[in-house]
């Protein structure tokens, strides 16, 4: 998986985190490091599964909340082995603060 985070059109994070597979105990995944700081701005998160898939993006300023929790999901319980898993974004404004220095977003 490749992930890119932009603030006000400037890339503030790019990485290739290795996500773990989900099982009957845990949904799997990976937590991204909060390397982009706490600066207010217009944030866009982009991701793709690998170089063969298109980038998907989400603008966090589309949500009217002080803090957004974002999860990227690869496939789901209906994805069979060998099938091309889809990539989905899941958001909530009822976020659990997992970063020591959370990132705020602003529409201004």
């Amino acid at each position: 998986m490749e992930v890119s985070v932009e603030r006000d059109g400037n890339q503030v994070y790019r990485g290739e985190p290795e996500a773990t597979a989900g099982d009957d105990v845990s949904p799997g995944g990976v937590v991204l490091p909060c390397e982009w700081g706490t600066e207010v701005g217009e944030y866009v998160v982009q991701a793709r599964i690998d170089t063969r898939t298109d980038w998907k993006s989400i603008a966090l300023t589309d949500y009217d909340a002080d803090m957004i929790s974002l999860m990227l999901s690869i496939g789901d319980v209906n994805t069979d082995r060998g099938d091309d898993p889809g990539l989905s974004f899941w958001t909530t404004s009822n976020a659990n603060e997992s970063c020591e220095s959370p990132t705020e977003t602003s529409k201004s």
Side-chain angles (χ1 to χ4, degrees):
M1 172 190 302
E2 291 181 72
V3 179
S4 172
V5 178
E6 294 181 356
R7 178 181 54 235
D8 299 328
N10 297 308
Q11 191 173 68
V12 291
Y13 173 82
R14 183 163 183 132
E16 296 182 20
E18 187 171 326
T20 59
D23 57 25
D24 59 347
V25 177
S26 168
V30 63
V31 176
L32 297 179
C34 297
E35 297 179 354
W36 45 86
T38 59
E39 186 175 328
V40 174
E42 294 187 12
Y43 285 83
V44 175
V45 178
Q46 299 180 37
R48 64 181 176 176
I49 297 173
D50 58 35
T51 57
R52 294 172 292 167
T53 60
D54 293 331
W55 287 93
K56 285 197 165 197
S57 66
I58 186 169
L60 300 183
T61 52
D62 290 346
Y63 300 87
D64 187 24
D66 292 332
M67 184 177 7
I68 298 290
S69 179
L70 175 68
M71 181 179 82
L72 284 74
S73 173
I74 300 173
D76 59 30
V77 295
N78 298 314
T79 305
D80 292 326
R81 285 193 181 272
D83 286 353
D84 184 20
L87 177 66
S88 304
F89 290 105
W90 297 84
T91 62
T92 180
S93 59
N94 188 16
N96 290 326
E97 189 175 322
S98 61
C99 298
E100 289 183 19
S101 57
T103 302
E104 299 176 27
T105 62
S106 172
K107 290 187 178 185
S108 57

Coordinates of all heavy atoms in Angstrom, one line a residue, residues 51-98:
T51 N 1.1 -0.4 -7.3 CA 1.3 0.4 -8.5 C 0.4 0.1 -9.6 O 0.3 0.8 -10.6 CB 2.8 0.3 -9.0 OG1 3.1 -1.1 -9.3 CG2 3.8 0.9 -8.0
R52 N -0.3 -1.1 -9.5 CA -1.3 -1.4 -10.5 C -2.7 -0.9 -10.3 O -3.5 -1.0 -11.2 CB -1.4 -3.0 -10.6 CG -0.1 -3.6 -11.1 CD -0.2 -5.1 -11.0 NE -0.2 -5.4 -9.5 CZ -0.6 -6.5 -9.0 NH1 -0.9 -7.5 -9.8 NH2 -0.6 -6.7 -7.7
T53 N -2.9 -0.2 -9.2 CA -4.3 0.3 -9.0 C -4.2 1.8 -9.0 O -3.2 2.5 -8.8 CB -4.8 -0.2 -7.6 OG1 -4.0 0.3 -6.6 CG2 -5.0 -1.7 -7.6
D54 N -5.4 2.4 -9.2 CA -5.5 3.9 -9.2 C -5.5 4.4 -7.8 O -5.9 3.8 -6.9 CB -6.8 4.3 -9.9 CG -6.8 4.0 -11.4 OD1 -5.7 3.9 -12.0 OD2 -7.9 3.8 -12.0
W55 N -5.0 5.7 -7.7 CA -5.0 6.4 -6.4 C -6.5 6.7 -6.1 O -7.3 7.1 -6.9 CB -4.2 7.7 -6.5 CG -2.8 7.5 -6.5 CD1 -2.0 7.4 -7.6 CD2 -1.9 7.4 -5.4 NE1 -0.7 7.3 -7.2 CE2 -0.6 7.2 -5.9 CE3 -2.1 7.4 -4.0 CZ2 0.5 7.1 -5.1 CZ3 -1.0 7.2 -3.2 CH2 0.3 7.1 -3.7
K56 N -6.9 6.5 -4.8 CA -8.1 7.0 -4.3 C -7.8 8.1 -3.3 O -6.8 8.1 -2.7 CB -8.9 5.9 -3.5 CG -9.5 4.9 -4.4 CD -10.5 4.1 -3.7 CE -11.4 3.3 -4.7 NZ -12.6 2.9 -4.1
S57 N -8.6 9.1 -3.2 CA -8.3 10.3 -2.4 C -9.6 10.7 -1.6 O -10.7 10.5 -2.0 CB -7.7 11.4 -3.1 OG -8.7 12.0 -4.0
I58 N -9.3 11.4 -0.5 CA -10.4 11.9 0.4 C -9.9 13.2 0.9 O -8.8 13.3 1.4 CB -10.8 10.9 1.5 CG1 -12.0 11.4 2.3 CG2 -9.6 10.6 2.4 CD1 -12.6 10.4 3.2
A59 N -10.7 14.3 0.8 CA -10.4 15.6 1.3 C -11.1 15.7 2.7 O -12.3 15.6 2.8 CB -10.9 16.7 0.4
L60 N -10.3 15.8 3.7 CA -10.8 15.8 5.1 C -11.6 17.1 5.4 O -12.4 17.1 6.3 CB -9.7 15.6 6.1 CG -8.9 14.3 6.0 CD1 -7.9 14.1 7.1 CD2 -9.9 13.1 6.0
T61 N -11.4 18.1 4.6 CA -12.1 19.4 4.8 C -13.6 19.3 4.3 O -14.3 20.2 4.5 CB -11.4 20.6 4.1 OG1 -11.2 20.2 2.7 CG2 -10.1 20.9 4.7
D62 N -13.9 18.1 3.7 CA -15.3 17.9 3.3 C -16.2 17.6 4.5 O -17.4 17.5 4.4 CB -15.4 16.8 2.3 CG -14.8 17.2 0.9 OD1 -14.6 18.4 0.7 OD2 -14.6 16.2 0.1
Y63 N -15.5 17.4 5.6 CA -16.2 17.0 6.8 C -16.2 18.1 7.8 O -15.2 18.7 8.1 CB -15.6 15.7 7.5 CG -15.6 14.6 6.5 CD1 -14.6 14.4 5.6 CD2 -16.7 13.7 6.5 CE1 -14.7 13.3 4.7 CE2 -16.8 12.6 5.6 CZ -15.8 12.5 4.7 OH -15.8 11.4 3.8
D64 N -17.4 18.4 8.4 CA -17.5 19.5 9.4 C -17.3 19.0 10.8 O -18.2 18.7 11.5 CB -18.9 20.1 9.2 CG -19.1 21.3 10.1 OD1 -18.1 22.0 10.4 OD2 -20.2 21.7 10.4
A65 N -16.0 18.8 11.1 CA -15.7 18.3 12.4 C -14.3 18.8 12.8 O -13.5 19.1 12.0 CB -15.7 16.7 12.4
D66 N -14.0 18.9 14.1 CA -12.7 19.3 14.6 C -11.7 18.3 14.4 O -10.5 18.6 14.3 CB -12.8 19.7 16.1 CG -13.7 21.0 16.3 OD1 -13.7 21.8 15.4 OD2 -14.2 21.1 17.4
M67 N -12.1 17.0 14.5 CA -11.1 15.9 14.4 C -11.8 14.8 13.6 O -13.0 14.4 13.9 CB -10.7 15.4 15.8 CG -9.6 14.3 15.7 SD -8.9 13.6 17.2 CE -9.8 14.2 18.5
I68 N -11.1 14.2 12.7 CA -11.6 13.1 11.9 C -10.7 11.9 12.1 O -9.4 12.0 12.0 CB -11.6 13.5 10.4 CG1 -12.5 14.7 10.1 CG2 -11.9 12.3 9.5 CD1 -13.9 14.4 10.2
S69 N -11.3 10.7 12.3 CA -10.5 9.5 12.3 C -10.8 8.8 11.0 O -11.9 8.7 10.5 CB -11.0 8.6 13.4 OG -10.3 7.4 13.5
L70 N -9.7 8.4 10.3 CA -9.7 7.8 9.0 C -9.2 6.4 9.0 O -8.1 6.2 9.6 CB -8.9 8.7 8.0 CG -8.8 8.2 6.6 CD1 -10.1 8.3 5.9 CD2 -7.8 9.1 5.9
M71 N -9.9 5.5 8.4 CA -9.4 4.1 8.3 C -9.5 3.8 6.8 O -10.5 4.1 6.1 CB -10.3 3.2 9.1 CG -9.8 1.7 9.0 SD -10.8 0.6 9.9 CE -12.2 0.3 8.8
L72 N -8.4 3.1 6.3 CA -8.4 2.6 4.9 C -8.6 1.1 5.0 O -7.9 0.4 5.8 CB -7.1 2.9 4.2 CG -6.9 4.3 3.8 CD1 -6.6 5.3 4.9 CD2 -5.8 4.4 2.8
S73 N -9.5 0.6 4.3 CA -9.9 -0.8 4.3 C -9.5 -1.4 3.0 O -9.9 -0.9 1.9 CB -11.4 -1.0 4.6 OG -11.7 -2.3 4.5
I74 N -8.8 -2.6 3.0 CA -8.5 -3.3 1.8 C -9.3 -4.6 1.8 O -9.2 -5.4 2.6 CB -7.0 -3.7 1.8 CG1 -6.1 -2.4 1.8 CG2 -6.7 -4.5 0.5 CD1 -4.6 -2.7 1.9
G75 N -10.2 -4.6 0.8 CA -11.1 -5.8 0.8 C -12.1 -5.8 1.9 O -12.2 -4.8 2.7
D76 N -12.9 -6.8 2.0 CA -13.9 -7.0 3.1 C -14.2 -8.5 3.2 O -13.6 -9.3 2.6 CB -15.1 -6.2 2.8 CG -15.9 -6.5 1.5 OD1 -15.8 -7.7 1.1 OD2 -16.5 -5.6 1.0
V77 N -15.2 -8.8 4.1 CA -15.5 -10.2 4.3 C -16.0 -10.9 3.1 O -15.9 -12.2 3.1 CB -16.5 -10.3 5.5 CG1 -15.9 -9.8 6.8 CG2 -17.8 -9.6 5.2
N78 N -16.4 -10.2 2.1 CA -16.9 -10.8 0.9 C -15.8 -11.0 -0.2 O -16.1 -11.5 -1.3 CB -18.1 -10.0 0.3 CG -19.2 -10.0 1.2 OD1 -19.6 -11.0 1.8 ND2 -19.8 -8.8 1.4
T79 N -14.6 -10.6 0.1 CA -13.5 -10.7 -0.9 C -12.9 -12.1 -0.8 O -12.4 -12.5 0.3 CB -12.4 -9.6 -0.6 OG1 -13.0 -8.3 -0.7 CG2 -11.3 -9.7 -1.7
D80 N -13.0 -12.9 -1.8 CA -12.4 -14.2 -1.8 C -10.9 -14.1 -2.1 O -10.4 -13.2 -2.8 CB -13.0 -15.1 -2.9 CG -14.5 -15.4 -2.6 OD1 -14.8 -15.5 -1.4 OD2 -15.3 -15.5 -3.5
R81 N -10.1 -15.1 -1.6 CA -8.7 -15.2 -1.9 C -8.5 -15.2 -3.5 O -9.2 -15.8 -4.2 CB -8.1 -16.4 -1.4 CG -7.9 -16.4 0.1 CD -7.0 -17.6 0.5 NE -6.8 -17.6 2.0 CZ -5.8 -16.9 2.6 NH1 -5.0 -16.2 1.9 NH2 -5.7 -16.9 3.9
G82 N -7.6 -14.4 -3.9 CA -7.3 -14.3 -5.3 C -8.1 -13.2 -6.0 O -7.7 -12.8 -7.1
D83 N -9.1 -12.7 -5.4 CA -9.9 -11.6 -6.0 C -9.1 -10.3 -5.8 O -8.3 -10.2 -4.9 CB -11.3 -11.5 -5.3 CG -12.2 -12.5 -5.7 OD1 -11.9 -13.3 -6.6 OD2 -13.3 -12.6 -5.1
D84 N -9.4 -9.3 -6.6 CA -8.8 -8.0 -6.5 C -9.5 -7.3 -5.4 O -10.7 -6.9 -5.5 CB -8.9 -7.3 -7.8 CG -8.2 -5.9 -7.8 OD1 -7.3 -5.7 -6.9 OD2 -8.5 -5.1 -8.6
P85 N -8.8 -7.1 -4.2 CA -9.5 -6.4 -3.1 C -9.7 -4.9 -3.4 O -8.8 -4.3 -4.0 CB -8.6 -6.6 -1.9 CG -7.2 -6.7 -2.6 CD -7.5 -7.4 -3.9
G86 N -10.8 -4.3 -3.1 CA -11.0 -2.9 -3.2 C -10.4 -2.1 -2.1 O -10.1 -2.7 -1.0
L87 N -10.3 -0.9 -2.3 CA -9.8 0.0 -1.2 C -10.9 1.0 -0.9 O -11.4 1.7 -1.8 CB -8.5 0.8 -1.7 CG -7.9 1.8 -0.8 CD1 -7.3 1.2 0.4 CD2 -6.8 2.6 -1.5
S88 N -11.2 1.1 0.4 CA -12.3 2.0 0.9 C -11.8 2.9 2.0 O -10.9 2.5 2.8 CB -13.4 1.2 1.4 OG -13.9 0.3 0.5
F89 N -12.3 4.1 2.0 CA -12.0 5.0 3.1 C -13.2 5.0 4.1 O -14.4 5.0 3.6 CB -11.9 6.5 2.6 CG -10.6 6.7 1.9 CD1 -10.6 6.9 0.5 CD2 -9.4 6.8 2.5 CE1 -9.5 7.1 -0.2 CE2 -8.2 7.1 1.8 CZ -8.3 7.2 0.5
W90 N -13.0 4.9 5.4 CA -14.0 5.0 6.4 C -13.6 6.2 7.3 O -12.5 6.3 7.8 CB -14.1 3.7 7.2 CG -14.4 2.5 6.4 CD1 -13.6 1.8 5.6 CD2 -15.7 2.0 6.2 NE1 -14.3 0.8 5.0 CE2 -15.6 0.9 5.3 CE3 -17.0 2.3 6.7 CZ2 -16.7 0.1 4.9 CZ3 -18.1 1.5 6.3 CH2 -17.9 0.5 5.4
T91 N -14.6 7.0 7.6 CA -14.3 8.2 8.5 C -15.3 8.2 9.6 O -16.5 7.7 9.5 CB -14.4 9.5 7.7 OG1 -15.8 9.7 7.2 CG2 -13.4 9.5 6.6
T92 N -14.9 8.9 10.7 CA -15.8 9.2 11.8 C -15.4 10.5 12.5 O -14.2 10.7 12.5 CB -15.9 8.0 12.9 OG1 -16.8 8.4 13.9 CG2 -14.5 7.8 13.5
S93 N -16.3 11.2 12.9 CA -16.0 12.4 13.7 C -16.0 12.2 15.2 O -15.7 13.0 16.0 CB -16.9 13.6 13.3 OG -18.2 13.2 13.6
N94 N -16.3 10.9 15.5 CA -16.3 10.5 16.9 C -15.0 9.7 17.1 O -15.0 8.5 17.4 CB -17.5 9.6 17.2 CG -17.6 9.3 18.7 OD1 -17.0 9.9 19.5 ND2 -18.4 8.3 19.0
A95 N -13.9 10.4 16.9 CA -12.6 9.8 16.8 C -12.0 9.5 18.2 O -12.1 10.3 19.1 CB -11.6 10.7 16.0
N96 N -11.3 8.4 18.3 CA -10.4 8.1 19.4 C -9.1 8.7 19.1 O -8.5 8.4 18.1 CB -10.3 6.6 19.6 CG -11.5 6.0 20.1 OD1 -12.3 6.6 20.9 ND2 -11.8 4.8 19.7
E97 N -8.6 9.6 20.0 CA -7.3 10.2 19.7 C -6.2 9.2 19.8 O -5.8 8.8 20.9 CB -7.1 11.4 20.7 CG -5.9 12.3 20.4 CD -5.9 13.5 21.3 OE1 -6.9 14.0 21.7 OE2 -4.7 13.8 21.7
S98 N -5.5 8.9 18.7 CA -4.5 7.9 18.7 C -3.1 8.5 18.5 O -2.1 7.9 18.8 CB -4.7 6.8 17.7 OG -4.7 7.4 16.4

